[in-house]
Every structure is written in structure tokens, then in C-alpha cells.
Amino acid sequence: MTGQHPSTAAPGRPPRAPRPGEDSSRARVLMWCLWDTGTSAYNAVMLTFVFTVYLTSPAFGSSEYTSTVLSVAMTVAGFAIALTAPLIGQRSDSRRSRATFLTGNTVVLVLCTGLAFLARPDPAFLFLGVGLVAVGSVAQEFATVSYNAMLPALAGPQHMGKVSGWGWGAGYVGGIFALAFVLFGFVTPGFLGIPTDDALNYRAVALFSAAWILVFCLPLMLKARSMPFRASINDAAAVPAQPRHRGILGAYVELFRTIAALWRVSRATVVFLLSSAVYRDGLAGVFTFGGVLAAGSFGFSLTEVVMFAVAANLIAALGAFVGGALDDAVGPRAVITASLVGVLVAGTALLFWHGKIAFWVCGLALCLFVGPAQAASRTYLGRLIPPGRDGEIYGLYTTTGRAVSFMAPGLFGVFVTLMGAQIWGILGILVVVAGGLVLLLLTPRPPEGFTTARV
């Protein structure tokens, strides 16, 4: 594998600059990590905790109606992402187009977020608000494909784990700080003093989030074209570059050829895409249902849930930082395996140890292992991708994740129904994580010469 990568640095710190006259490697890594800090506000504030809660409030109609509208919009957005992410990645496998896709989609994300301010508390504005949130989520996912594709060339095989861990950690930290500022500054107690008439305080959250995204993402947007880039090389073990086809049909033909070629020369890549999709859905379920379980099964108040959310994200960030350093030392496969085992142990303990202390201990342990598993998954794939195919394969990474995103929520509900208690929903999440772990252990090693990196 080729590509520029930073020189050796102390564990836990961004790498040092490689040569005089070049942009600092540390500066490039910082810009890359800050992009995750920026977009994390969209996930935490707009999609999860604040703005979608506002859009499903009684001001827009019955909870059943507003929830259905939001669900349909996000489902359509999910299908759009799953069907087109590999094509977006495929088209971004050149330096100029990768920068264009990252910058363009980030701009769309900022615009959709800011325009959500126009969604006044009136049923007539429901479709506008929901539509902007859905389009923003599509733009964010498309930009993330190009963002992830920068990792192999930015970090190189020696430092990929550390840089990926710093990116994930910066995202966790950024999301929780943005969320905390919104909750206390705009909502309760609202120390910014923004009027609540016409839901101005909730609508202003959209403007704040747009500004947050723009400020933290702008450095990478401005320097995207000068970021390190891995061009395709002639390597017998690598997937040969196919001629670029015109049109959507030709793009799908090329995509299937790439998958077939990967299956022939590195079955490990294809199997890992499947296994990671499964366990990543289980890891997402930890955060999706964490607050629900804290309140419903362990008696947490709303304030306690918010406090736990803050602590959980900070612990996940710490796990990502430490896991990134271990990734470079022992390889991402070992980090992912250990992390998934840790999730299974901590989750199983919650089934038999009750009370708030149990949830604080085991819940934070779960989050500690989620961070490194997510960060190392990105680097595992990055070490397997043939040069010149970064965007396309990371697009497949997004698609496979979307394709199985029903598993953890579905099994959570199944076990709650079968066992008659919410607490048993944890078992559904653990089944998904265990399934992904088994598939990971069955993933073959990449063939000799396909990658020079430790996996």
C-alpha cells in the first residue's frame, strides 16, 4: 500500500510533521478530526435529542402522525443512502472529485440545518422540517464516504488506528459539548434568554447547529484538495482499476465488477464488510436504546439520563483514543474482537445486576468498548482497500451498514415481547453483536501481498 503518512509520534498524540515545506501532518490530522467534531452536532442535536423531538411535538399534530411522517422520511433517506453511497464513493476516487463531494455535501448539510429554522410550530411546516432533516442526513452520509476515504492516505498503515481513533473521539466529544450547550442554553434552563414564543428557542437550535458544523468543518473543506491521496497502482494482488462508465447503470456494472474482483483476490474484504455491518448495528443499538433502558428499566430521571449521556460519550471517546493506539500496535482485528467480547460481558452483567449503580458501571463499560470497535472497524477496512478504490469501498461500507440496520431494533422489540420485560431487549442487542463477532472470527486473513499493513 502506498501513500503519504506521518512520521512516528508518541502514543495518544497526533503524528509529527514529516518534512519542512509541507503542510504539517499534525495540522492535516487536526482538520480531518475537526470535521467529525462538526458533523457530530447534526447527529446529537438535530437527529437524536432535540430537533426531531421538537418536530414530533403536539405543535405539529398527534404523536402518531408526526412520528409516522418522520419515520417514512428517514426510511426513504436510508434507502437513498444505501442504494447510492457506493456510486458516490466510486465517483470520488479522484483527488478533485473527492474534495468536491466532501465540500459540496457538507455545504448542503449546513444549508439544510440552517433552513430548519423556518419550521415554525404549525402542522403546515411539518413536511418542511422533516424533509430538511432527511436531506441533511443523506448529505452527511455522502460526505462521510469521502471523509472516510481520506483516512488511508492521510495516516498510512503505521498510524491509521491512532488517527481513526482521534477522529471518532473528537466526534464524541464535539457531539456532547454541542448537545450540552443546546440543552442548557436553548432549552432548560435556557440561560441564553431566547424567547420561547413561536418556539424560537427550539428553532434557533438549527441556526446554532449550522454554525457549529460550518466552523468545525470549514478547515477541511478549504484544504480538501491538498490532502494526501492514494492513486491506483499496478499490483497483481490489488483489484485492477476498471474504466469509468457513464451513467447510473454503468456505475452499477462497475460496482459489481469490483465486488467480484474483491471476492477473487481478497475474500476477507467482502466477508468483513458483512461482519462489520452486523456488529456495527449492535453497537449502534447500545446508544439508541441506552437512554430508554436507563429510564424504563433502571429508574433514571430525565436529568440522570442526560448526565449519563454526557458521561457515556466521554467514556466512548476515551475508548476510541486508547483503542486507536492499540490498533496500530496489535492490529484492528484484535481490538475489534476484544471490544466486542467486552460489550457481551458488560451487557450480560446488566441482565442480572439491577439498580442504578449497576447501570452506571455496566453502561459506561459498554460505551468504553463501543468507541474502539467503531474506530478500528474503519481502519480494518482501510488496511484492506486497494489503492485507488478508497471511496468506492467505503461507500460499500456505508451501504452494508444501512442494509442490516433493522436487526438490533427488531430483535430488541422481539425479546421485550417474548420475555415480557424491557430489560430483556438487551439480549436482542447482544445477539446481534455476537453474530457479528462470529462472522469476524470467520473472516479469512487477506492474501499475502494484498496489504502491507497489520490487520
Side-chain angles (χ1 to χ4, degrees), residues 403-430:
V404 302
S405 60
F406 64 91
M407 294 180 64
L411 285 179
F412 183 92
V414 166
F415 278 93
V416 170
T417 302
L418 290 178
M419 307 298 287
Q422 187 192 63
I423 186 67
W424 292 102
I426 297 174
L427 191 56
I429 296 174
L430 297 181

PDB file of all heavy atoms in Angstrom, residues 403-430:
ATOM      1  N   ALA A 403     -28.006  -1.629   5.173  1.00  0.00           N
ATOM      2  CA  ALA A 403     -28.809  -2.779   4.758  1.00  0.00           C
ATOM      3  C   ALA A 403     -29.280  -3.631   5.935  1.00  0.00           C
ATOM      4  O   ALA A 403     -30.330  -4.275   5.862  1.00  0.00           O
ATOM      5  CB  ALA A 403     -28.025  -3.640   3.765  1.00  0.00           C
ATOM      6  N   VAL A 404     -28.510  -3.659   7.025  1.00  0.00           N
ATOM      7  CA  VAL A 404     -28.885  -4.510   8.166  1.00  0.00           C
ATOM      8  C   VAL A 404     -29.276  -3.684   9.386  1.00  0.00           C
ATOM      9  O   VAL A 404     -29.355  -4.210  10.499  1.00  0.00           O
ATOM     10  CB  VAL A 404     -27.731  -5.465   8.535  1.00  0.00           C
ATOM     11  CG1 VAL A 404     -27.352  -6.337   7.355  1.00  0.00           C
ATOM     12  CG2 VAL A 404     -26.514  -4.695   9.040  1.00  0.00           C
ATOM     13  N   SER A 405     -29.555  -2.391   9.199  1.00  0.00           N
ATOM     14  CA  SER A 405     -29.816  -1.510  10.338  1.00  0.00           C
ATOM     15  C   SER A 405     -31.115  -1.817  11.067  1.00  0.00           C
ATOM     16  O   SER A 405     -31.408  -1.211  12.092  1.00  0.00           O
ATOM     17  CB  SER A 405     -29.825  -0.046   9.880  1.00  0.00           C
ATOM     18  OG  SER A 405     -30.827   0.161   8.903  1.00  0.00           O
ATOM     19  N   PHE A 406     -31.885  -2.768  10.554  1.00  0.00           N
ATOM     20  CA  PHE A 406     -33.134  -3.163  11.212  1.00  0.00           C
ATOM     21  C   PHE A 406     -32.902  -4.221  12.289  1.00  0.00           C
ATOM     22  O   PHE A 406     -33.798  -4.480  13.115  1.00  0.00           O
ATOM     23  CB  PHE A 406     -34.104  -3.748  10.170  1.00  0.00           C
ATOM     24  CG  PHE A 406     -33.601  -5.015   9.542  1.00  0.00           C
ATOM     25  CD1 PHE A 406     -33.898  -6.255  10.078  1.00  0.00           C
ATOM     26  CD2 PHE A 406     -32.793  -4.975   8.407  1.00  0.00           C
ATOM     27  CE1 PHE A 406     -33.419  -7.424   9.511  1.00  0.00           C
ATOM     28  CE2 PHE A 406     -32.305  -6.135   7.830  1.00  0.00           C
ATOM     29  CZ  PHE A 406     -32.616  -7.361   8.390  1.00  0.00           C
ATOM     30  N   MET A 407     -31.735  -4.856  12.317  1.00  0.00           N
ATOM     31  CA  MET A 407     -31.544  -6.044  13.144  1.00  0.00           C
ATOM     32  C   MET A 407     -31.623  -5.752  14.642  1.00  0.00           C
ATOM     33  O   MET A 407     -32.401  -6.378  15.376  1.00  0.00           O
ATOM     34  CB  MET A 407     -30.207  -6.708  12.808  1.00  0.00           C
ATOM     35  CG  MET A 407     -30.152  -7.278  11.402  1.00  0.00           C
ATOM     36  SD  MET A 407     -28.558  -8.070  11.039  1.00  0.00           S
ATOM     37  CE  MET A 407     -28.597  -9.421  12.213  1.00  0.00           C
ATOM     38  N   ALA A 408     -30.818  -4.824  15.131  1.00  0.00           N
ATOM     39  CA  ALA A 408     -30.814  -4.544  16.570  1.00  0.00           C
ATOM     40  C   ALA A 408     -32.155  -3.996  17.057  1.00  0.00           C
ATOM     41  O   ALA A 408     -32.692  -4.496  18.062  1.00  0.00           O
ATOM     42  CB  ALA A 408     -29.669  -3.591  16.916  1.00  0.00           C
ATOM     43  N   PRO A 409     -32.740  -2.989  16.379  1.00  0.00           N
ATOM     44  CA  PRO A 409     -34.062  -2.531  16.829  1.00  0.00           C
ATOM     45  C   PRO A 409     -35.112  -3.633  16.777  1.00  0.00           C
ATOM     46  O   PRO A 409     -35.946  -3.753  17.686  1.00  0.00           O
ATOM     47  CB  PRO A 409     -34.399  -1.404  15.845  1.00  0.00           C
ATOM     48  CG  PRO A 409     -33.092  -0.944  15.325  1.00  0.00           C
ATOM     49  CD  PRO A 409     -32.229  -2.163  15.261  1.00  0.00           C
ATOM     50  N   GLY A 410     -35.067  -4.449  15.718  1.00  0.00           N
ATOM     51  CA  GLY A 410     -36.055  -5.523  15.589  1.00  0.00           C
ATOM     52  C   GLY A 410     -35.936  -6.564  16.685  1.00  0.00           C
ATOM     53  O   GLY A 410     -36.932  -6.941  17.319  1.00  0.00           O
ATOM     54  N   LEU A 411     -34.714  -7.029  16.943  1.00  0.00           N
ATOM     55  CA  LEU A 411     -34.527  -8.058  17.976  1.00  0.00           C
ATOM     56  C   LEU A 411     -34.736  -7.484  19.374  1.00  0.00           C
ATOM     57  O   LEU A 411     -35.164  -8.215  20.288  1.00  0.00           O
ATOM     58  CB  LEU A 411     -33.135  -8.668  17.852  1.00  0.00           C
ATOM     59  CG  LEU A 411     -32.959  -9.640  16.690  1.00  0.00           C
ATOM     60  CD1 LEU A 411     -31.533 -10.178  16.637  1.00  0.00           C
ATOM     61  CD2 LEU A 411     -33.939 -10.804  16.804  1.00  0.00           C
ATOM     62  N   PHE A 412     -34.453  -6.210  19.567  1.00  0.00           N
ATOM     63  CA  PHE A 412     -34.760  -5.577  20.848  1.00  0.00           C
ATOM     64  C   PHE A 412     -36.252  -5.716  21.137  1.00  0.00           C
ATOM     65  O   PHE A 412     -36.652  -6.151  22.228  1.00  0.00           O
ATOM     66  CB  PHE A 412     -34.364  -4.094  20.808  1.00  0.00           C
ATOM     67  CG  PHE A 412     -34.580  -3.364  22.108  1.00  0.00           C
ATOM     68  CD1 PHE A 412     -33.556  -3.277  23.028  1.00  0.00           C
ATOM     69  CD2 PHE A 412     -35.791  -2.747  22.396  1.00  0.00           C
ATOM     70  CE1 PHE A 412     -33.737  -2.595  24.231  1.00  0.00           C
ATOM     71  CE2 PHE A 412     -35.988  -2.075  23.585  1.00  0.00           C
ATOM     72  CZ  PHE A 412     -34.959  -1.994  24.510  1.00  0.00           C
ATOM     73  N   GLY A 413     -37.085  -5.373  20.156  1.00  0.00           N
ATOM     74  CA  GLY A 413     -38.525  -5.481  20.331  1.00  0.00           C
ATOM     75  C   GLY A 413     -38.995  -6.910  20.491  1.00  0.00           C
ATOM     76  O   GLY A 413     -39.895  -7.201  21.291  1.00  0.00           O
ATOM     77  N   VAL A 414     -38.392  -7.838  19.747  1.00  0.00           N
ATOM     78  CA  VAL A 414     -38.778  -9.241  19.817  1.00  0.00           C
ATOM     79  C   VAL A 414     -38.547  -9.796  21.219  1.00  0.00           C
ATOM     80  O   VAL A 414     -39.425 -10.452  21.802  1.00  0.00           O
ATOM     81  CB  VAL A 414     -38.010 -10.080  18.768  1.00  0.00           C
ATOM     82  CG1 VAL A 414     -38.158 -11.574  19.061  1.00  0.00           C
ATOM     83  CG2 VAL A 414     -38.512  -9.757  17.370  1.00  0.00           C
ATOM     84  N   PHE A 415     -37.383  -9.526  21.800  1.00  0.00           N
ATOM     85  CA  PHE A 415     -37.083 -10.073  23.122  1.00  0.00           C
ATOM     86  C   PHE A 415     -37.906  -9.396  24.225  1.00  0.00           C
ATOM     87  O   PHE A 415     -38.256 -10.043  25.211  1.00  0.00           O
ATOM     88  CB  PHE A 415     -35.585  -9.968  23.418  1.00  0.00           C
ATOM     89  CG  PHE A 415     -34.777 -11.076  22.818  1.00  0.00           C
ATOM     90  CD1 PHE A 415     -34.195 -10.945  21.563  1.00  0.00           C
ATOM     91  CD2 PHE A 415     -34.630 -12.282  23.487  1.00  0.00           C
ATOM     92  CE1 PHE A 415     -33.464 -11.982  20.995  1.00  0.00           C
ATOM     93  CE2 PHE A 415     -33.900 -13.326  22.931  1.00  0.00           C
ATOM     94  CZ  PHE A 415     -33.320 -13.186  21.682  1.00  0.00           C
ATOM     95  N   VAL A 416     -38.204  -8.118  24.056  1.00  0.00           N
ATOM     96  CA  VAL A 416     -39.081  -7.452  25.025  1.00  0.00           C
ATOM     97  C   VAL A 416     -40.454  -8.106  25.011  1.00  0.00           C
ATOM     98  O   VAL A 416     -41.056  -8.383  26.063  1.00  0.00           O
ATOM     99  CB  VAL A 416     -39.195  -5.951  24.716  1.00  0.00           C
ATOM    100  CG1 VAL A 416     -40.302  -5.313  25.557  1.00  0.00           C
ATOM    101  CG2 VAL A 416     -37.873  -5.243  24.979  1.00  0.00           C
ATOM    102  N   THR A 417     -40.961  -8.397  23.807  1.00  0.00           N
ATOM    103  CA  THR A 417     -42.282  -9.023  23.677  1.00  0.00           C
ATOM    104  C   THR A 417     -42.281 -10.448  24.206  1.00  0.00           C
ATOM    105  O   THR A 417     -43.184 -10.852  24.954  1.00  0.00           O
ATOM    106  CB  THR A 417     -42.718  -9.015  22.206  1.00  0.00           C
ATOM    107  OG1 THR A 417     -42.736  -7.660  21.723  1.00  0.00           O
ATOM    108  CG2 THR A 417     -44.099  -9.635  22.046  1.00  0.00           C
ATOM    109  N   LEU A 418     -41.271 -11.220  23.844  1.00  0.00           N
ATOM    110  CA  LEU A 418     -41.229 -12.626  24.251  1.00  0.00           C
ATOM    111  C   LEU A 418     -41.024 -12.786  25.753  1.00  0.00           C
ATOM    112  O   LEU A 418     -41.639 -13.655  26.386  1.00  0.00           O
ATOM    113  CB  LEU A 418     -40.105 -13.351  23.502  1.00  0.00           C
ATOM    114  CG  LEU A 418     -40.302 -13.587  22.005  1.00  0.00           C
ATOM    115  CD1 LEU A 418     -39.079 -14.268  21.411  1.00  0.00           C
ATOM    116  CD2 LEU A 418     -41.554 -14.427  21.749  1.00  0.00           C
ATOM    117  N   MET A 419     -40.159 -11.946  26.349  1.00  0.00           N
ATOM    118  CA  MET A 419     -39.806 -12.106  27.749  1.00  0.00           C
ATOM    119  C   MET A 419     -40.684 -11.273  28.679  1.00  0.00           C
ATOM    120  O   MET A 419     -40.660 -11.463  29.893  1.00  0.00           O
ATOM    121  CB  MET A 419     -38.333 -11.742  27.970  1.00  0.00           C
ATOM    122  CG  MET A 419     -37.361 -12.483  27.047  1.00  0.00           C
ATOM    123  SD  MET A 419     -37.373 -14.271  27.275  1.00  0.00           S
ATOM    124  CE  MET A 419     -36.527 -14.406  28.840  1.00  0.00           C
ATOM    125  N   GLY A 420     -41.441 -10.347  28.106  1.00  0.00           N
ATOM    126  CA  GLY A 420     -42.389  -9.578  28.903  1.00  0.00           C
ATOM    127  C   GLY A 420     -41.790  -8.491  29.764  1.00  0.00           C
ATOM    128  O   GLY A 420     -42.448  -7.992  30.682  1.00  0.00           O
ATOM    129  N   ALA A 421     -40.547  -8.101  29.509  1.00  0.00           N
ATOM    130  CA  ALA A 421     -39.913  -7.022  30.275  1.00  0.00           C
ATOM    131  C   ALA A 421     -38.901  -6.308  29.387  1.00  0.00           C
ATOM    132  O   ALA A 421     -38.197  -6.938  28.595  1.00  0.00           O
ATOM    133  CB  ALA A 421     -39.221  -7.569  31.529  1.00  0.00           C
ATOM    134  N   GLN A 422     -38.825  -4.976  29.547  1.00  0.00           N
ATOM    135  CA  GLN A 422     -37.956  -4.172  28.692  1.00  0.00           C
ATOM    136  C   GLN A 422     -36.491  -4.562  28.815  1.00  0.00           C
ATOM    137  O   GLN A 422     -35.742  -4.527  27.838  1.00  0.00           O
ATOM    138  CB  GLN A 422     -38.127  -2.692  29.035  1.00  0.00           C
ATOM    139  CG  GLN A 422     -37.386  -1.742  28.104  1.00  0.00           C
ATOM    140  CD  GLN A 422     -37.356  -0.333  28.656  1.00  0.00           C
ATOM    141  OE1 GLN A 422     -36.780  -0.073  29.709  1.00  0.00           O
ATOM    142  NE2 GLN A 422     -38.006   0.580  27.950  1.00  0.00           N
ATOM    143  N   ILE A 423     -36.078  -4.967  30.020  1.00  0.00           N
ATOM    144  CA  ILE A 423     -34.675  -5.264  30.272  1.00  0.00           C
ATOM    145  C   ILE A 423     -34.136  -6.327  29.325  1.00  0.00           C
ATOM    146  O   ILE A 423     -32.965  -6.320  28.951  1.00  0.00           O
ATOM    147  CB  ILE A 423     -34.483  -5.716  31.750  1.00  0.00           C
ATOM    148  CG1 ILE A 423     -32.994  -5.899  32.071  1.00  0.00           C
ATOM    149  CG2 ILE A 423     -35.251  -6.988  32.033  1.00  0.00           C
ATOM    150  CD1 ILE A 423     -32.189  -4.664  32.059  1.00  0.00           C
ATOM    151  N   TRP A 424     -35.010  -7.258  28.900  1.00  0.00           N
ATOM    152  CA  TRP A 424     -34.564  -8.342  28.033  1.00  0.00           C
ATOM    153  C   TRP A 424     -34.296  -7.888  26.599  1.00  0.00           C
ATOM    154  O   TRP A 424     -33.764  -8.645  25.786  1.00  0.00           O
ATOM    155  CB  TRP A 424     -35.562  -9.490  28.057  1.00  0.00           C
ATOM    156  CG  TRP A 424     -35.599 -10.175  29.387  1.00  0.00           C
ATOM    157  CD1 TRP A 424     -36.535 -10.036  30.363  1.00  0.00           C
ATOM    158  CD2 TRP A 424     -34.609 -11.070  29.902  1.00  0.00           C
ATOM    159  NE1 TRP A 424     -36.201 -10.793  31.465  1.00  0.00           N
ATOM    160  CE2 TRP A 424     -35.024 -11.434  31.209  1.00  0.00           C
ATOM    161  CE3 TRP A 424     -33.414 -11.603  29.404  1.00  0.00           C
ATOM    162  CZ2 TRP A 424     -34.290 -12.306  32.009  1.00  0.00           C
ATOM    163  CZ3 TRP A 424     -32.685 -12.457  30.205  1.00  0.00           C
ATOM    164  CH2 TRP A 424     -33.108 -12.814  31.484  1.00  0.00           C
ATOM    165  N   GLY A 425     -34.636  -6.640  26.291  1.00  0.00           N
ATOM    166  CA  GLY A 425     -34.250  -6.098  24.990  1.00  0.00           C
ATOM    167  C   GLY A 425     -32.741  -6.069  24.811  1.00  0.00           C
ATOM    168  O   GLY A 425     -32.230  -6.139  23.687  1.00  0.00           O
ATOM    169  N   ILE A 426     -32.021  -5.968  25.951  1.00  0.00           N
ATOM    170  CA  ILE A 426     -30.553  -6.024  25.893  1.00  0.00           C
ATOM    171  C   ILE A 426     -30.094  -7.300  25.212  1.00  0.00           C
ATOM    172  O   ILE A 426     -29.117  -7.300  24.444  1.00  0.00           O
ATOM    173  CB  ILE A 426     -29.962  -5.942  27.316  1.00  0.00           C
ATOM    174  CG1 ILE A 426     -30.311  -4.605  27.962  1.00  0.00           C
ATOM    175  CG2 ILE A 426     -28.452  -6.156  27.294  1.00  0.00           C
ATOM    176  CD1 ILE A 426     -29.895  -4.514  29.422  1.00  0.00           C
ATOM    177  N   LEU A 427     -30.801  -8.391  25.480  1.00  0.00           N
ATOM    178  CA  LEU A 427     -30.406  -9.665  24.895  1.00  0.00           C
ATOM    179  C   LEU A 427     -30.473  -9.624  23.372  1.00  0.00           C
ATOM    180  O   LEU A 427     -29.628 -10.219  22.687  1.00  0.00           O
ATOM    181  CB  LEU A 427     -31.307 -10.780  25.438  1.00  0.00           C
ATOM    182  CG  LEU A 427     -30.889 -12.219  25.142  1.00  0.00           C
ATOM    183  CD1 LEU A 427     -29.473 -12.490  25.631  1.00  0.00           C
ATOM    184  CD2 LEU A 427     -31.868 -13.202  25.796  1.00  0.00           C
ATOM    185  N   GLY A 428     -31.459  -8.921  22.830  1.00  0.00           N
ATOM    186  CA  GLY A 428     -31.546  -8.779  21.380  1.00  0.00           C
ATOM    187  C   GLY A 428     -30.335  -8.083  20.803  1.00  0.00           C
ATOM    188  O   GLY A 428     -29.790  -8.485  19.767  1.00  0.00           O
ATOM    189  N   ILE A 429     -29.878  -7.021  21.489  1.00  0.00           N
ATOM    190  CA  ILE A 429     -28.682  -6.301  21.036  1.00  0.00           C
ATOM    191  C   ILE A 429     -27.462  -7.205  21.108  1.00  0.00           C
ATOM    192  O   ILE A 429     -26.623  -7.228  20.194  1.00  0.00           O
ATOM    193  CB  ILE A 429     -28.479  -5.031  21.882  1.00  0.00           C
ATOM    194  CG1 ILE A 429     -29.647  -4.059  21.667  1.00  0.00           C
ATOM    195  CG2 ILE A 429     -27.156  -4.365  21.546  1.00  0.00           C
ATOM    196  CD1 ILE A 429     -29.599  -2.837  22.568  1.00  0.00           C
ATOM    197  N   LEU A 430     -27.357  -7.970  22.194  1.00  0.00           N
ATOM    198  CA  LEU A 430     -26.201  -8.847  22.364  1.00  0.00           C
ATOM    199  C   LEU A 430     -26.167  -9.952  21.318  1.00  0.00           C
ATOM    200  O   LEU A 430     -25.089 -10.370  20.874  1.00  0.00           O
ATOM    201  CB  LEU A 430     -26.206  -9.458  23.767  1.00  0.00           C
ATOM    202  CG  LEU A 430     -26.066  -8.472  24.934  1.00  0.00           C
ATOM    203  CD1 LEU A 430     -26.060  -9.219  26.267  1.00  0.00           C
ATOM    204  CD2 LEU A 430     -24.813  -7.625  24.785  1.00  0.00           C
TER     205      LEU A 430
END
